[in-house]
Amino acid sequence: GGFSIDKALSGSGASLVPGTKLFTVNYSVNGGTPIPVQVSIDGAPVVVSGLPFGAVVAFTEDTPSAVSGATFNSATFSPTSVTIGNGTTTAVIVTNDYTAQTGGFSIDKALSGTGASLVPTDKLFTVNYSVDGGTPVAVQVSIDDAPVVVSGLPFGAVVTFTEDTPSAVTGATFNSATFAPTSVTIGNGTTTAVIVTNDYTAQTGGFSIDKALSGTGASLVPTDKLFTVN
């Protein structure tokens, strides 16, 4: 008799595993030398036949090569072993479990320029982030609040940022919003700090003072006479 081996996947990272990826499964007959066969999701089950009736077949799998964006957890055989029957082919499924690798970033607000001190620390700024060029998602940050943390993003995703033009600040002119770094590539289990700095210029102006004379004695005042005005 014999058996067939087929491959299955489970876990949040299953969709990241290429269907053509090869896995090396080893079978051992009655405790003998392990014999390797290769299976994949896309391929048909591997059939091993011609084994003696009553033989007990056990299985292992070599640790598979890395999959970008997914962490391999375990390989589970169902059934865990096979006792060979007469003219039968027992189906064995080996399921590999993968966890999707995720990470994130944090956004904090900073101020610069001569008008920075005029900006209320509780003023809210709307920052937008886009994952791999997708639809922007808005979050609000301020000087007073803790950084905003966004997590659970897929490993390797590229995040870019913009900021909506903030509402006016009395006495200060908004110049620009600068992100450091300008974009983030998501790592596995990491949170990259992003600081968005808004630059403000203090609004300033002035006045002029000129001298005039009036009254019957005005003509008696020398034109070069100096007057101190405070």
Side-chain angles (χ1 to χ4, degrees):
F3 62 89
S4 64
I5 300 180
D6 202 5
K7 171 61 63 178
L9 300 172
S10 64
S12 60
S15 63
L16 300 171
V17 181
T20 57
K21 178 176 175 61
L22 295 176
F23 300 84
T24 300
V25 175
N26 308 288
Y27 70 91
S28 179
V29 181
N30 290 330
T33 302
I35 299 172
V37 296
Q38 288 191 315
V39 295
S40 70
I41 296 296
D42 285 351
V46 174
V47 177
V48 177
S49 59
L51 300 178
F53 176 85
V56 177
V57 183
F59 305 94
T60 60
E61 181 177 302
D62 293 351
T63 300
S65 59
V67 172
S68 179
T71 299
F72 170 70
N73 299 313
S74 62
T76 305
F77 290 86
S78 179
T80 56
S81 65
V82 168
T83 300
I84 300 301
N86 178 31
T88 62
T89 302
T90 304
V92 178
I93 297 177
V94 54
T95 302
N96 284 37
D97 188 77
Y98 284 86
T99 300
Q101 296 173 352
T102 62
F105 61 89
S106 64
I107 299 180
D108 203 5
K109 172 60 64 178
L111 299 173
S112 65
T114 57
S117 62
L118 300 170
V119 180
T121 56
D122 60 353
K123 178 177 174 59
L124 294 176
F125 300 84
T126 300
V127 175
N128 309 289
Y129 70 90
S130 179
V131 180
D132 288 333
T135 303
V137 179
V139 297
Q140 289 190 313
V141 296
S142 73
I143 297 296
D144 279 351
D145 292 336
V148 174
V149 177
V150 177
S151 58
L153 300 179
F155 174 86
V158 176
V159 184
T160 54
F161 306 93
T162 61
E163 182 177 302
D164 293 352
T165 301
S167 58
V169 171
T170 300
T173 299
F174 169 69
N175 299 313
S176 62
T178 304
F179 291 87
T182 55
S183 66
V184 168
T185 300
I186 299 300
N188 179 29
T190 62
T191 302
T192 303
V194 179
I195 298 177
V196 52
T197 302
N198 284 39
D199 187 77
Y200 284 87
T201 300
Q203 296 172 349
T204 61
F207 60 90
S208 64
I209 299 180
D210 202 4
K211 174 58 64 181
L213 299 172
S214 64
T216 58
S219 62
L220 302 174
V221 180
T223 57
D224 59 354
K225 179 176 176 60
L226 294 176
F227 300 83
T228 301
V229 177
N230 304 296

